[in-house]
Amino acid sequence: MTTSTHSLQTEKDAKDIWKECLGIIKENVPFITYNTWFLPIKPFEIENSILKIYVPNTFFIEWIEEHYNTLINKTISQVLGSEGKLIYIILEEKEDSPEPQKIDKPSDLITNKTNELLKQKDFESHLNPRYIFENFIKGEGNQLARAAAYAISESPGQTSFNPLFLYGGVGLGKTHLIQAIGNKILDRYPDKRVIYLSSDVFTVEFVESIQNNTVNEFSSFYKSMDALIIDDIQFLVGKEKTQDLFFHIFNTLHQTGRQIILSSDKAPKDLKGLSDRLISRFLWGLQTDIQPPDFETRVAILKNKSETYGIKLSNDILEYVASNITSNIRELEGCLIKLLANSSLNSKEIDFDLVKKTVREVSTNKQVNISIDYITKIVCEFYNVEENKVREKNRRKEVVIARQVAMFLAKQLTKSSLKTIGLHFGGRDHSTVIHAYSSVEQMIKDDSKFHEVVSALKNKIELSVS
Ligand code: ADP
Ligand code: MG
């Protein structure tokens, strides 16, 4: 049935249209595929024959496009006519939410309290609302860190944990925990000035302030914070001038009872290339590490995450995965997603054979894949741009540059095709990716500062997954 587009749009809303699509899809795919990949999708709006839908993450888009592109196209033209189009909107935040079923309006996630409050201030906190205490699973390896973090969030600057220096390996929850402190402080004390940034962003901003002759403003801005949260402080190694300035900011904040929260991949004493006076300051408060999660914690995290994907795994399966994937939480998440993909691909229930096969794949595939999402995250953090902006049709200068750099690095650091990369950026065409790639290449040649920035971002991405 092909119906005229215009009459449909006026008569039906996105919900009805998506329901109709689902009806067709359901007839054409195995039940488990339908449940796993299509049911979690929620309609957003319909405008000029373009149906916008919310998907939980980019992996969904990629998977659906790879396996069911033809079906999707046919369905859309059947329901919306030949001009019909589908746009995916990514709802990354949903991934870690402990009770996703409660979030029925995606806008709830975007307009959360923290963001509303931030708008009233003259700066952005850069806190990800997804990183909160409520979805951080407690375990032996993170018990002390979590308890200290929580205490700080209740009385920032007023505990003996100042600074808090949190250290540990990749993917163990450092970023999650230090941002949870920031989010909680703002929940409790909406007027407090809280800022989160990575130490390399701090460095680049500092260098810019030297060039623009605004070092004083730069320094006073950070001295005006009630809580300063700096991630991955190890990137300050070897940057003496930045360390000097940070030392002064640190002192002012500390003397006036403001809270400093730092994370690092190593303990303070092992940060070779950091000035002694800075290291001695780090020892004033509490240094605590996060250890890889023990077996029980891994089971609990898997259980929680699988439930957010809407699947229930038996205890045997949870325990099998948890005993075979031991190094970090990012890897556990990766295994779970792969399990979902494998089960859906083969239209199989998740049984033991499938779990064994998937775990084997994940553990032999140790060469960690850098994801396009991760690249986007790092690049957006650097350019201070919200991740969803680079997926939308936004032409603001900094958004365009962040998008192009992220596309460029995605091409360099992943095995993804141009088409896949385009899809990750709001369904853009492969020619857009090529254009971005060559523009960035040209700018690298023309502008040595830009070259430095791109190399630093690349290093950071590669370092953090190796
Ligand atoms: P790090 O900064 O130490 O490299 P992240 O904070 O980025 O690690 O954590 C990696 C992923 O694992 C994130 O998606 C985070 O939400 C998740 N994660 C880490 N620790 C926990 C935990 N204890 N409970 C739930 N999720 C966790
Ligand atoms: Mg981190």
Side-chain angles (χ1 to χ4, degrees), residues 1-6 8-9 12 17-18 20-22 24-25 46 49-51 68-87:
M1 176 191 77
T2 326
T3 327
S4 131
T5 326
H6 294 294
L8 257 175
Q9 275 163 42
K12 296 185 176 176
I17 289 171
W18 182 239
E20 206 172 311
C21 294
L22 279 182
I24 298 172
I25 293 166
I46 173 91
S49 306
I50 300 175
L51 175 65
Y68 287 104
N69 203 13
T70 322
L71 175 64
I72 291 277
N73 287 340
K74 253 173 73 183
T75 308
I76 289 296
S77 55
Q78 195 170 330
V79 176
L80 286 173
S82 57
E83 288 176 4
K85 237 182 114 183
L86 190 64
I87 289 187

Side-chain angles (χ1 to χ4, degrees), residues 214-228:
T214 51
V215 177
N216 283 343
E217 283 90 332
F218 173 81
S219 163
S220 336
F221 173 71
Y222 287 104
K223 285 177 180 170
S224 77
M225 292 299 150
D226 294 300
L228 174 61

Side-chain angles (χ1 to χ4, degrees), residues 235 409 413 452-466:
F235 294 124
L409 290 176
L413 298 174
E452 255 178 60
V453 166
V454 176
S455 307
L457 285 168
K458 191 171 166 188
N459 270 341
K460 181 174 179 194
I461 292 162
E462 284 180 318
L463 258 180
S464 55
V465 297
S466 59

Side-chain angles (χ1 to χ4, degrees), residues 59 108 227 295 340 406 422:
F59 187 72
D108 289 351
F295 175 73
L340 272 172

Side-chain angles (χ1 to χ4, degrees), residues 5 8 32 75 97 162 166 236 293 322 340 390 420 435 463:
T5 326
L8 257 175
I32 183 163
T75 308
S97 162
N162 198 14
L166 190 61
L236 286 191
L340 272 172
V390 301
T420 305
H435 174 73
L463 258 180

